[in-house]
């Protein structure tokens, strides 16, 4: 059972454009939703995270939008740059020390 | 400060051999996690330690997998009688949890160990 579904699998965006990646979850016990960025040969790095008591969180060019009733959340990358080209993973976990449940990842390419 | 470190960075072994993978978490981090990343399965959670104890081992793929953590710091993941389907990148992460009920479970990942079973 895939508890976090992520789309699209791959995405090509022109430099300066907006990149949008979507995730949907099933487990209503999840209450922490991070996004990770991974470059080839490196471990995932936390980009931004949100809790379900807010509908949006913005950090620089990165914004998470969260819809609790629809059990969906998305990552928006504004003014996308070639350096943003990486694989992005959404994830979710319950409280405490739960392990993260990851989406399958989105391979993002920003064309100069 | 130093991040999570893992060793070796690459490991090639023959089917049937045992392997040990090591993780050094960020100093002061009480929780430690192991994940597996493979093309077919994506990122899978395997096990976590709170201090030296692992409350739930159900995420380990089979009884050939075991993990331990000593002194609240270094952890080893051991795979016995390796199989080709064990080939993957094994990632370790750590986090600082001020209390078990905290939801701010910000996990910091190491670079991983790439395991290839021939």
């Amino acid at each position: 059972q895939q508890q976090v579904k992520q789309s699209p699998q791959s995405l090509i965006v022109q430099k300066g454009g907006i990149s949008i990646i979507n995730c949907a979850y099933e487990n209503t016990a999840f209450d922490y939703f991070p996004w990770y960025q991974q470059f080839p040969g490196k471990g995932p790095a936390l980009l931004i995270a949100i809790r379900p008591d807010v509908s949006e969180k913005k950090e620089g060019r990165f914004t998470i939008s969260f819809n609790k009733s629809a059990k969906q959340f998305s990552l928006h990358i504004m003014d996308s740059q070639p350096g943003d080209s990486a694989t992005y993973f959404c994830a979710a976990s319950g409280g405490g020390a739960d392990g993260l449940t990851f989406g399958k990842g989105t391979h993002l390419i920003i064309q100069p | 400060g130093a991040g999570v470190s893992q060793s070796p960075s690459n490991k090639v072994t023959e089917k049937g051999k045992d392997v040990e993978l090591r993780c050094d978490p960020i100093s002061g981090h009480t929780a430690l996690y192991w994940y597996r990343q493979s093309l077919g399965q994506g990122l899978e959670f395997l096990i976590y330690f709170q201090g030296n104890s692992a409350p739930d081992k159900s995420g380990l793929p089979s009884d050939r997998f075991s993990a331990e953590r000593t002194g609240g710091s270094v952890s080893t993941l051991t795979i016995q009688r390796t199989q080709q389907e064990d080939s993957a990148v094994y990632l370790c992460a750590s986090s600082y949890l001020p209390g078990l009920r905290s939801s701010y479970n910000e996990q910091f990942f190491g670079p991983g160990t790439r395991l290839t079973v021939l």
Side-chain angles (χ1 to χ4, degrees):
Chain A
Q1 180 186 9
Q2 186 183 355
Q3 293 198 52
V4 179
K5 295 184 179 179
Q6 182 172 348
S7 63
Q9 285 187 326
S10 60
L11 180 63
I12 299 174
V13 175
Q14 296 295 314
K15 178 182 175 182
I18 303 173
S19 304
I20 302 174
I21 305 171
N22 300 298
C23 284
Y25 64 98
E26 299 168 7
N27 187 344
T28 54
F30 288 150
D31 68 351
Y32 173 70
F33 303 89
W35 284 89
Y36 279 82
Q37 179 190 57
Q38 186 177 32
F39 293 104
K42 305 291 186 182
L46 179 67
L47 199 57
I48 187 172
I50 199 169
R51 296 183 68 191
D53 52 353
V54 296
S55 60
E56 185 174 282
K57 183 174 181 180
K58 183 176 180 179
E59 289 184 2
R61 296 185 294 111
F62 301 94
T63 300
I64 299 180
S65 297
F66 185 84
N67 186 330
K68 187 174 181 179
S69 61
K71 293 189 287 185
Q72 295 176 344
F73 58 112
S74 61
L75 175 69
H76 291 59
I77 306 175
M78 313 300 287
D79 186 26
S80 299
Q81 299 297 311
D84 297 331
S85 297
T87 301
Y88 291 81
F89 293 93
C90 62
S93 75
D98 285 7
L100 294 168
T101 299
F102 283 89
K104 294 290 190 184
T106 296
H107 183 51
L108 174 65
I109 297 172
I110 307 300
Q111 290 187 332
Chain B
V4 177
S5 61
Q6 294 186 244
S7 61
S9 55
N10 280 283
K11 176 72 177 178
V12 180
T13 190
E14 293 180 347
K15 178 181 172 181
K17 294 288 178 72
D18 298 351
V19 296
E20 269 192 7
L21 312 179
R22 177 188 168 105
C23 172
D24 279 277
I26 293 172
S27 177
H29 279 194
T30 56
L32 184 148
Y33 305 80
W34 284 98
Y35 294 84
R36 178 170 71 174
Q37 185 171 26
S38 59
L39 282 175
Q41 298 298 321
L43 272 157
E44 302 172 83
F45 166 67
L46 299 180
I47 190 170
Y48 88 89
F49 289 87
Q50 178 63 24
N52 291 334
S53 95
D56 182 1
K57 301 181 180 179
S58 62
L60 294 174
S62 75
D63 58 9
R64 297 184 294 103
F65 287 71
S66 63
E68 66 174 15
R69 188 180 186 195
T70 55
S73 181
V74 172
S75 175
T76 54
L77 178 69
T78 301
I79 309 174
Q80 295 179 309
R81 305 181 302 281
T82 52
Q83 303 295 310
Q84 288 182 333
E85 63 262 28
D86 300 333
S87 295
V89 175
Y90 290 83
L91 291 159
C92 175
S94 69
S95 70
Y96 171 68
L97 294 178
L100 286 178
R101 303 189 72 79
S102 168
S103 291
Y104 290 98
N105 188 8
E106 182 175 348
Q107 298 181 23
F108 297 84
F109 282 80
T113 293
R114 180 173 297 278
L115 174 66
T116 304
V117 182
L118 301 176

